[in-house]
């Protein structure tokens, strides 16, 4: 991606979102002299006012009002998933560089057209994928060659919540299809193992009595997908959350021709023959700060980023194949999705 050279610091930044991701973005921007957080737009007025006051920025009435600010160089989109596509499009059209938390869009076609738009505008479109920056991912990458050709992977993330919160992450339209909203689960695997050719997927949602426009939050969901990779590797992905689960789990298992890798929470183990070795997985914290700093390094010094929007789009295609499979009960060939 070509990025405008000789940009003068401090970069003028607008932020959309006031939640967890937005807070970590703002904290890094405040401590980096190359950036200035100018304006913030949120959802509920009070939260937006408190947030902008905390970070000494202006509070805008709407995300549109942020995009309209001519002095901004960069817009960071850290709000609910449903709105990502529309905000990214408006920001790119207004000639801004854009950082967006995954997913880029809920729709493959829209994500594709946004990547083309960024290219034609000559602007950066960076889709955050912090799962790749974690110590766990670095540890997997380093250990993978020791187990020979990987043949099978299983990745389960289950998050029981009692009661399930009535938040956007339990709202079908605001979060999107489970593996679209939680795209990092698929992206971690596509980053490690390459192209997925076929997907089979089943989902189930537990709905409260009276679920509908007035009460749009589910109580729990489970999404179970089988992926066939071009390499021949088979992977199973389990994503579950809510009141219907009682045991949290975060497990990644990779079986290869010469050994296996097992990660459970922050514990990693390499198994070779009858030997097993502990693997250090480092910290899960500090990833948004790292992402933000890498974006500033990229914009000012043209240093490479750790992920491309195209690789995020490729994972989104797999997620869309999973959605279609869950809807139709059929195995879906990823290449048929344009
Ligand atoms: P969050 O803490 O729940 O914050 C959500 C933001 O969206 C808040 O500003 C909230 O404002 C606003 N919002 C809530 N409901 C809304 C609605 N109905 N309409 C419009 N705005 C609404 O979420 P988050 O974890 O920061 O996630 C933000 C983005 O980052 C998501 O795309 C997520 O996938 C991505 N992400 C997050 C993480 C993470 O570690 N948290 C990691 C990777 C990617 P109010 O509070 O005023 O309602
Ligand atoms: C990912 N975390 C996410 C996402 C959301 C949240 C919406 C994106 C969707 C997804 O991939 O599931 C929200 N995570 C939360 C909330 C809590 C939480 C509300 O843990 C409440 C405690 N994120 C945090 C906190 C950590 C955290 C406190 O909010 C703890 C270190 C880490 N969240 C984290 C990471 C990811 C993520 C590392 C990337 C997912 C991945 O690694 O695959």
């Amino acid at each position: 991606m070509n990025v405008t050279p000789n940009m003068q610091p401090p970069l003028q930044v607008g932020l959309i979102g006031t939640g967890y991701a937005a807070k970590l973005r703002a904290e890094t921007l405040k401590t980096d002299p190359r950036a200035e957080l100018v304006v913030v737009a949120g959802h509920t007025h009070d939260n937006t006012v408190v947030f902008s006051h905390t970070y000494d920025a202006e509070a805008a009435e709407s995300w549109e009002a942020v995009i309209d600010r001519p002095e901004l160089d960069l817009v960071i989109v850290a709000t609910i998933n449903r709105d990502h596509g529309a905000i990214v499009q408006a920001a790119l059209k207004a000639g801004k560089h854009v950082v967006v938390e995954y997913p880029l869009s809920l729709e493959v076609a829209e994500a594709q057209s946004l990547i083309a738009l960024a290219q034609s505008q000559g602007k950066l479109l960076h889709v955050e994928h912090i799962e790749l920056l974690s110590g766990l991912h670095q540890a997997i990458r380093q250990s993978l060659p020791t187990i020979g050709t990987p043949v099978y992977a299983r990745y389960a993330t289950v998050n029981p919540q009692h009661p399930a919160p009535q938040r956007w992450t339990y709202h079908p339209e605001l979060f999107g299809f489970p593996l679209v909203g939680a795209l990092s689960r698929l992206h971690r695997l596509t980053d490690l193992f390459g192209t997925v050719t076929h997907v089979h997927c089943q989902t189930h949602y537990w709905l409260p009595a009276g679920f509908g426009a007035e009460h749009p939050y589910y109580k729990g969901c489970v999404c179970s997908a089988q992926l066939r990779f071009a390499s021949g590797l088979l992977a199973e992905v389990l994503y579950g959350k809510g009141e219907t689960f009682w045991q949290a789990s975060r497990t990644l298992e990779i079986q290869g021709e010469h050994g296996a890798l097992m990660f459970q929470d922050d514990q990693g183990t390499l198994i070779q023959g009858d030997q097993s070795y502990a693997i250090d997985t480092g910290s899960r914290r500090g990833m948004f700060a790292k992402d933000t700093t890498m974006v500033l390094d990229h914009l000012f010094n043209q240093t490479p980023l750790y992920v491309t929007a195209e690789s995020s789009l490729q994972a989104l295609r797999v997620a869309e194949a999973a959605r279609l499979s869950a809807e139709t009960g059929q195995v879906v060939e990823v290449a048929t999705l344009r």
Side-chain angles (χ1 to χ4, degrees), residues 20-21 24 81 102 128-132 134 136 155 157 159 161 167-169 175 178 181-185 188 239 241 250 284-285 287-288:
Y20 180 80
L24 297 179
N81 299 340
Y102 69 76
E128 162 268 307
H129 274 281
I130 53 167
E131 75 282 359
L132 301 191
S134 66
L136 169 66
Y155 187 20
T157 56
N159 182 18
Q161 287 196 289
R167 294 176 72 241
W168 69 273
T169 49
F175 189 74
L183 189 64
S184 64
R185 309 309 187 281
R188 187 191 288 290
Y239 173 80
K241 62 184 173 188
R250 193 155 57 85
R284 293 180 75 216
R285 294 185 183 270
M287 302 310 144
F288 280 105

Side-chain angles (χ1 to χ4, degrees), residues 32-259:
D32 195 313
R34 296 173 297 176
E36 185 176 336
L37 178 59
V38 178
V39 57
V40 176
H43 175 225
T44 44
H45 179 260
D46 289 359
N47 285 348
T48 312
V49 169
V50 169
F51 188 100
S52 57
H53 192 252
T54 305
Y55 298 105
D56 199 19
E58 282 176 54
E61 282 302 313
S62 63
W63 63 260
E64 288 90 343
V66 171
I67 308 287
D68 281 347
R69 298 282 290 256
E71 76 273 33
L72 297 185
D73 303 300
L74 168 69
V75 170
I76 302 182
V77 184
T79 186
I80 58 161
N81 299 340
R82 180 200 60 193
D83 296 348
H84 288 189
I87 302 172
V88 170
Q89 184 182 49
L92 287 171
K93 281 191 172 158
K96 317 296 187 197
H97 295 299
V98 175
V99 168
V100 56
E101 314 303 353
Y102 69 76
L104 168 55
S105 162
L106 299 183
E107 308 283 340
V108 168
E110 184 178 53
Q112 204 169 0
S113 78
L114 292 171
I115 291 172
L117 178 61
Q119 268 157 3
S120 69
Q121 294 283 73
K123 295 293 164 189
L124 171 69
L125 173 57
H126 169 64
V127 187
E128 162 268 307
H129 274 281
I130 53 167
E131 75 282 359
L132 301 191
L133 292 174
S134 66
L136 169 66
H137 203 73
Q138 307 306 323
I140 300 169
R141 272 207 187 132
Q142 274 177 14
S143 314
L144 213 46
T146 59
I147 64 163
T149 306
V151 294
Y152 173 80
R154 190 171 65 86
Y155 187 20
T157 56
V158 174
N159 182 18
Q161 287 196 289
H162 298 267
Q166 303 211 342
R167 294 176 72 241
W168 69 273
T169 49
Y170 284 74
H171 187 299
E173 279 88 42
L174 304 187
F175 189 74
F177 183 75
L179 289 174
V180 172
L183 189 64
S184 64
R185 309 309 187 281
L186 297 176
H187 192 254
R188 187 191 288 290
L189 298 181
T190 53
D191 182 72
L192 293 169
F193 305 123
T195 306
V196 174
T197 60
H198 295 84
V199 181
H200 185 247
C201 181
Q202 299 190 72
T203 55
H204 188 77
Y205 300 90
W206 286 268
L207 306 178
F211 177 87
E214 299 269 300
H215 300 283
Y217 303 97
Y218 47 79
K219 292 193 299 182
C221 83
V222 64
C223 184
S224 168
Q226 288 187 337
L227 316 176
R228 159 78 64 179
F229 284 74
S231 67
L233 177 128
L234 205 121
E236 297 185 274
V237 177
L238 171 69
Y239 173 80
K241 62 184 173 188
E243 288 175 22
T244 41
F245 293 94
W246 299 92
Q247 175 64 55
S249 94
R250 193 155 57 85
T251 313
L252 176 58
E253 167 186 345
I254 304 168
Q255 306 272 356
E257 284 180 337
H258 304 305

